[in-house]
Amino acid sequence: MSAISSAAARSADNSLPWLIIAAGSIIAMLTFGPRSAMGFFQLPMLADTGWDRTTFGLAMALQNLCWGLGQPFFGAVADKFGTWRVLALSGLVYAAGLIIMAFANAPIWLHIGGGVLVGLGVASGSFGIVLSAFARNVAPEQRSLAFGIGTAAGSAGMFLFAPLSQGLISAFGWSDSLVYLGVLMLLVPLVAIPLRGNASSGRQSEMQYKQTVGEALREALGHGSYLLLVSGFFVCGYQVAFITAHFPAYIGDIGIDARYAVIALALIGFFNIIGSFSAGIIGQRYSKPYFLALIYLARSVAVAAFLLLPQSPTSVIIFAIVMGLLWLSTVPPTNGLVAIMFGTRHLGLLGGIVFLSHQIGSFLGVWMGGYLYDRFGSYDPVWWLGVALGVFAAIVHWPIEERGVVRPAMA
């Protein structure tokens, strides 16, 4: 009987906590959806207000920067005080930011609402918070799969909110559409209830190495593979944020019907689901650093081919499918590597620092997209810089070691 009981216990430990994963996945979908559709609001908003693309680009850049700056802080708060409290705050702040953006009558309100508050709302409800909760409640060998599911759900948000946002703008105008999206964010505190608990709870709590926040930071910032991971994730942010914010406008600039921008972002979202989930499975079986290097290299090849080959509706669709497969496929292996290196006790904080690098890249990608377009009348310099950065990211991920840090008690 004892053998049977032990086998049953192991089976229970290896089963996925589906209620937690379902709740976290819905939240990832809700919080990632509206911010991924911001590009659709650019042209109608600027047409009504008379602002230039630099103004809108700065707001989106601030959004990405505040997302990044807030991520380590909210991750540390969730680690200590509980995930639900942080997610509940996310829904309220996110809603407030979208509504202020809807009624912005001067650039400062666009920057505060759509920039700072939406950025903080995403920071407190994004992948880093949700995936940290997943990591505490699944066996280590299943983390990559759980991360893939959560990331795929965020990808589904992009797929759903691209046509939803465009449809709302066509039916009600950009301002009312932002209000409706803001009201939708008030669902987050309710859906987040199953994600109660902090870093001291969950299935893996007894396996955690006891550290203070300061000790965890010193350990991570002195770890070579972690620093390489931080530097490489900067590139991911630069590439995807630029496309999210500026691709709809770019489609119009090259003379392609605007409806293909909706189709393209929806396709990126759909194939992002496939790519993210597949990345979770691949990350369980193969080297995560090598896999990440190949993802970044493939992105550079895809962008270069899109720019060099004749551009048409067909090439836009093909580019969207390829980029969709590569879009958030970096998230499961990146978060998985942080958990392998340092465990889950301070995963919200340490994963948040990696994501801060991502968002600094996002800030530059979005802001430079608007600034360089207004200066040179073209997005080409930003595209080609992204190609070069993709090669850089592939190089820095290659030597990363996929193993836990050696600690005094483990030596």
Side-chain angles (χ1 to χ4, degrees):
M1 291 294 293
S2 60
I4 295 174
S5 299
S6 299
R10 285 194 299 271
S11 177
D13 287 341
N14 290 329
S15 63
L16 291 175
W18 288 112
L19 179 60
I20 290 174
I21 289 178
S25 296
I26 292 171
I27 290 167
M29 181 179 67
L30 287 172
T31 56
F32 195 75
R35 59 88 38 203
S36 68
M38 288 288 105
F40 294 114
F41 293 89
Q42 179 175 185
L43 296 183
M45 174 183 282
L46 299 186
D48 282 354
T49 60
W51 303 330
D52 57 21
R53 295 191 191 188
T54 301
T55 299
F56 185 87
L58 179 58
M60 297 302 101
L62 284 171
Q63 180 188 112
N64 282 285
L65 187 61
C66 289
W67 181 2
L69 291 172
Q71 186 80 60
F73 171 77
F74 289 119
V77 172
D79 288 340
K80 185 169 184 178
F81 297 106
T83 301
W84 179 81
R85 290 183 173 89
V86 173
L87 291 175
L89 177 65
S90 169
L92 299 176
V93 173
Y94 207 143
L98 289 171
I99 292 171
I100 290 174
M101 182 179 175
F103 296 104
N105 55 10
I108 184 63
W109 294 111
L110 170 63
H111 296 151
I112 291 173
V116 175
L117 291 180
V118 171
L120 293 176
V122 181
S124 51
S126 66
F127 294 118
I129 306 299
V130 171
L131 298 188
S132 295
F134 286 5
R136 295 194 296 267
N137 288 281
V138 302
E141 61 271 17
Q142 291 187 317
R143 281 181 194 146
S144 186
L145 175 60
F147 290 173
I149 294 171
T151 308
S155 308
M158 183 178 186
F159 172 65
L160 294 173
F161 277 81
L164 173 63
S165 299
Q166 186 60 59
L168 287 173
I169 292 170
S170 298
F172 305 106
W174 64 268
S175 181
D176 287 350
S177 298
L178 287 169
V179 173
Y180 295 142
L181 294 179
V183 172
L184 192 59
M185 292 305 101
L186 297 178
L187 293 174
V188 171
L190 298 176
V191 179
I193 291 173
L195 280 81
R196 297 186 301 273
N198 60 11
S200 297
S201 61
R203 298 186 188 181
Q204 307 303 316
S205 58
E206 70 280 0
M207 300 170 59
Q208 292 173 354
Y209 183 75
K210 306 301 181 183
Q211 284 179 309
T212 65
V213 170
E215 290 169 342
L217 286 172
R218 284 192 295 273
E219 180 181 70
L221 296 178
H223 192 273
S225 289
Y226 180 75
L227 296 179
L228 290 174
L229 193 67
V230 170
S231 64
F233 212 40
F234 165 91
V235 177
C236 181
Y238 176 96
Q239 293 172 329
V240 301
F242 165 69
I243 294 174
T244 298
H246 294 285
F247 198 60
Y250 178 77
I251 291 297
D253 291 344
I254 61 177
I256 295 175
D257 192 284
R259 64 192 174 95
Y260 283 97
V262 180
I263 295 171
L265 289 186
L267 284 172
I268 288 175
F270 177 76
F271 283 92
N272 195 2
I273 299 171
I274 299 172
S276 300
F277 184 72
S278 299
I281 296 173
I282 293 170
Q284 283 191 173
R285 302 180 180 180
Y286 301 101
S287 166
K288 294 178 182 65
Y290 293 169
F291 181 45
L292 284 165
L294 292 175
I295 290 172
Y296 287 110
L297 192 59
R299 284 186 184 177
S300 291
V301 171
V303 172
F306 178 63
L307 296 177
L308 294 173
L309 295 175
Q311 292 176 318
S312 65
T314 301
S315 72
V316 168
I317 290 173
I318 294 172
F319 175 73
I321 291 172
V322 174
M323 286 303 296
L325 292 171
L326 304 170
W327 194 258
L328 291 181
S329 57
T330 57
V331 173
T334 298
N335 281 274
L337 282 170
V338 178
I340 288 170
M341 291 174 187
F342 307 110
T344 63
R345 182 170 183 82
H346 295 288
L347 183 57
L349 170 64
L350 300 181
I353 292 173
V354 177
F355 201 78
L356 171 59
S357 174
H358 182 284
Q359 293 310 102
I360 292 173
S362 297
F363 174 88
L364 290 175
V366 175
W367 176 75
M368 288 175 63
Y371 175 77
L372 293 179
Y373 180 89
D374 287 337
R375 185 174 179 84
F376 299 108
S378 172
Y379 285 118
D380 284 355
V382 192
W383 280 115
W384 285 110
L385 180 57
V387 171
L389 287 173
V391 176
F392 162 80
I395 292 171
V396 301
H397 277 87
W398 202 260
I400 291 176
E401 297 180 353
E402 188 175 348
R403 59 183 176 84
V405 64
V406 178
R407 290 165 169 152
M410 301 166 56

